[in-house]
Amino acid sequence: MASESSPLLAYRLLGEEGAALPANGAGAPGGASARKLSTFLGVVVPTVLSMFSIVVFLRIGFVVGHAGLLQALAMLLVAYFILALTVLSVCAIATNGAVQGGGAYFMISRTLGPEVGGSIGLMFYLANVCGCAVSLLGLVESVLDVFGADATGTSGLRVLPQGYGWNLLYGSLLLGLVGGVCTLGAGLYARASFLTFLLVSGSLASVLISFVAVGPRDIRLTPRPGPNGSSLPPRFGHFTGFNSNTLKDNLGAGYAEDYTTGAMMNFASVFAVLFNGCTGIMAGANMSGELKDPSRAIPLGTIVAVAYTFFVYVLLFFLSSFTCGRTLLQEDYGFFRAISLWPPLVLIGIYATALSASMSSLIGASRILHALARDDLFGVILAPAKVVSRGGNPWAAVLYSWGLVQLVLLAGKLNTLAAVVTVFYLVAYAAVDLSCLSLEWASAPNFRPTFSLFSWHTCLLGVASCLLMMFLISPGAAGGSLLLMGLLAALLTVRGGPSSWGYVSQALLFHQVRKYLLRLDVRKDHVKFWRPQLLLLVGNPRGSLPLLRLANQLKKGGLYVLGHVTLGDLDSLPSDPVQPQYGAWLSLVDRAQVKAFVDLTLSPSVRQGAQHLLRISGLGGMKPNTLVLGFYDDTPPQDHFLTDPAFSEPADSTREGSSPALSTLFPPPRAPGSPRALSPQDYVATVADALKMNKNVVLARASGALPPERLSRGSGGTSQLHHVDVWPLNLLRPRGGPGYVDVCGLFLLQMATILGMVPAWHSARLRIFLCLGPREAPGAAEGRLRALLSQLRIRAEVQEVVWGEGAGAGEPEAEEEGDFVNSGWGDAEAEALARSANALVRAQQGRGTGGGPGGPEGGDAEGTTTALTFLYLPRPPADPARYPRYLALLETLTRDLGPTLLVHGVTPVTCTDL
């Protein structure tokens, strides 16, 4: 059931006039009042102008002249196919919910997360900034080609002085005009764009009419310098009117040198120029914050604009091929003026498209920047861009972007940046396709866009096509853009970002994990692939941090679940007290740096709660097979939150999504003498319950005394040598015996070996103590054990110790393994046996490692200490009345041994086969 703070309540279902309205204008800078633009003015017009740009007037002849009509049409189809794939993804995302300001950045960041979205958003912003500068300098060059004092064309007024300073001045003046329009708001920009659209449409109409109305003529071409600077005779291109021979000559490719650069053209270079002029499909989406209904306007307007520009390009290709000779097409890219009924109208169209492209880039950049600043991804660097006017216009972001464009203008000619700008655009398009692909693959129920003409195939093909085009246009720029995106994403990951947007990666992980969990068949389990899957029951983590980390080391890539039982009865409570606790426990997992899941339950008693967790924790083939408990004794718990560096540092509570200090989320440790939630009877009963459920059991005592370097995530390098001692024999049995070969003994060996695989324990030496009976010959059992260790690929030192001499002679043997309290032994004898076993273990802890067969080289290891001891945990007695006595014997056995793990295994875990 949804909580009362459900995100659905962030939106009013009905506005004052009965229309569906977001509560805050769906993120528009100034709320709903700032949303004024219709589909035509807000999407169609800017997208058409951006996709035409200056290419439609100055590069039609270039493409058809070099590639020929057939290859030009093929290039156009491929380019628009790639763009159409991205348009389909944009339409799907835009119709799946409320689209806020920021356009493509908003779509990407709210799908792929702030790290990827922020990095690509910043690159998309820089692409728009540089695109604005490129358009302005292209406009300046177009003006100077006609009116410049140094113009080389066949006609012109030649009144404007030229040079770097003059070019910068002209560009700055035009930028001031563009910036002024954008600063005054989206309304004025829309009206200016509409006026520009009318001028461009009129200019194109005059060109189309001229193809039909103008008769054949010869057009003088720009003169080329001859050898040694001499001038060549004038050359002419031919406008033939509609002529089948002209069409036949223009069908095939005829790649030659570009007369403006001297470079030899080929399919890739011509295609790159054509594609550069078409990458404006996001111009309308960038205005999402000012659109009345962005979810409808963006898909509809973008599709209309793409279809319209495609039709115009195809028409111009056909008309040029039918009427213009190859020489004219290749030698005069501005031939539209020469064949126009009124040439100045073509100039107006050229200047209008360049001016509109710069306006579209600047206002799109400002909206992206404002969205980035509002999301606070880059901190104080972008903070000034948050400022908006009373009407909701982000004028500060416009000024910010205006300043950056002015800096780019200082670089002068930007031909080298044109490819970088296009590559940055393609990165954003690929990210939009990837966002839609991720949503489709995640199969989230809430992804149900009203636009359905897409599939994961189109999204995947769109991603691949954009990446291919990036490297086709400029391999260096493509590699650099991906590297920049990675660096920005890493920066945002380190800095942290909002966690309330929803990550599609989580949905994808859920989808894949569910699929593979269904394939994880428990019936196919095999002992050679066994790994520990731990359930650690924790009362208060403040006193259990060392055990949390030790259990994390013991899991060996298996499942690790932190379980906690909250005492209570849901019938007597107004709500479930467990659910609000998950956040604190997950924060604990993060701060402790353990790879664990969290499972909490509510139960009248700890024992019943432990039964719940043992039965229901995990899923499918990933369920706990080993229960880990702290030891039950009277030692007062320590507050490790006060001494552990990961918890003693205060949490950053100023960043969004940060949690308060964990010390405030968990109660202080239990005071000495205070009542406990678990009785000794229930503690032993919990152990017995786990064994009845065929779960292995590990009881950890004094884990807080473990050397800190052994609990770290590093290599554990230290000058102090440590031992890990393993006693694979039930020391509380009345007689010695081959306990090292039973299931429980082998389980001890396996767990100790697993711990030795952890980097922090690599330098620790494993010692196995073999207990001999008083009449057992030394050497024979050790040989058998060494042979077993060799088969199991376990490297350890084996030491024989005599056990049982003077204890247990003539006494009755236990009726079953570990059930010593039901045998003929009394409490006093059992207590004496436990004290004797404890003394034996402590005596061996104080001895160094001797050299010998199977042991580490080096002989004496004076100064070594035992870091951890593994002991055989006997089964609890069958009679519950004996549980307290059983626990007392375990306490005696492990007293003063330091960190100790009492282990009882019930499942085979070792294998000698491949």
Side-chain angles (χ1 to χ4, degrees), residues 343-416:
L345 192 56
V346 176
L347 282 179
I348 292 174
I350 294 173
Y351 300 158
T353 53
L355 200 62
S356 67
S358 61
M359 279 196 303
S360 175
S361 296
L362 182 60
I363 199 166
S366 67
R367 270 46 182 179
I368 297 169
L369 179 65
H370 178 67
L372 283 166
R374 194 175 59 239
D375 290 337
D376 198 26
L377 295 183
F378 293 93
V380 296
I381 299 176
L382 302 184
K386 295 181 182 179
V387 181
V388 297
S389 66
R390 185 175 301 176
N393 178 41
W395 61 268
V398 176
L399 294 180
Y400 204 108
S401 303
W402 175 87
L404 286 181
V405 174
Q406 185 63 62
L407 290 176
V408 178
L409 286 177
L410 293 174
K413 294 187 178 294
L414 292 177
N415 291 335
T416 55

Side-chain angles (χ1 to χ4, degrees), residues 379-591:
V380 296
I381 299 176
L382 302 184
K386 295 181 182 179
V387 181
V388 297
S389 66
R390 185 175 301 176
N393 178 41
W395 61 268
V398 176
L399 294 180
Y400 204 108
S401 303
W402 175 87
L404 286 181
V405 174
Q406 185 63 62
L407 290 176
V408 178
L409 286 177
L410 293 174
K413 294 187 178 294
L414 292 177
N415 291 335
T416 55
L417 274 181
V420 177
V421 171
T422 303
V423 166
F424 277 16
Y425 279 136
L426 286 172
V427 170
Y429 298 167
V432 171
D433 287 320
L434 181 61
S435 300
C436 190
L437 175 67
S438 302
L439 290 169
E440 180 70 7
W441 272 352
S443 301
N446 280 324
F447 182 62
R448 43 181 186 269
T450 56
F451 182 87
S452 57
L453 298 179
F454 77 100
S455 70
W456 68 265
H457 305 84
T458 63
C459 300
L460 183 60
L461 191 57
V463 174
S465 301
C466 290
L467 293 176
L468 178 63
M469 279 304 307
M470 287 167 51
F471 287 94
L472 180 64
I473 292 173
S474 175
S481 65
L482 295 178
L483 178 61
L484 176 61
M485 184 185 70
L487 293 175
L488 290 173
L491 172 65
L492 290 174
T493 300
V494 172
R495 188 178 184 276
S499 58
S500 59
W501 293 355
Y503 291 78
V504 74
S505 59
Q506 296 297 306
L508 286 170
L509 287 172
F510 178 89
H511 182 74
Q512 294 301 110
V513 168
R514 180 195 64 86
K515 180 170 70 175
Y516 288 113
L517 271 177
L518 290 173
R519 297 184 183 181
L520 190 60
D521 192 346
V522 294
R523 295 168 295 183
K524 298 179 181 179
D525 281 349
H526 194 278
V527 63
K528 65 183 177 183
F529 301 119
W530 180 91
R531 65 180 73 233
Q533 305 199 81
L534 309 180
L535 169 62
L536 172 61
L537 289 184
V538 181
N540 188 340
R542 299 177 75 112
S544 308
L545 275 180
L547 181 54
L548 259 69
R549 293 196 170 103
L550 179 61
N552 185 63
Q553 295 173 332
L554 287 170
K555 70 180 187 303
K556 186 51 181 175
L559 179 68
Y560 179 24
V561 179
L562 293 182
H564 173 73
V565 180
T566 299
L567 297 180
D569 186 356
L570 193 59
D571 290 338
S572 60
L573 296 171
S575 62
D576 184 8
V578 169
Q579 295 301 321
Q581 300 179 23
Y582 272 97
W585 284 87
L586 292 175
S587 298
L588 169 73
V589 169
D590 294 338
R591 296 290 287 272

Side-chain angles (χ1 to χ4, degrees), residues 527-528 787-788 790-793 910-914:
V527 63
K528 65 183 177 183
L788 177 63
S790 176
Q791 288 182 320
L792 297 177
R793 289 88 60 202
T910 57
C911 180
T912 59
D913 299 331
L914 286 177

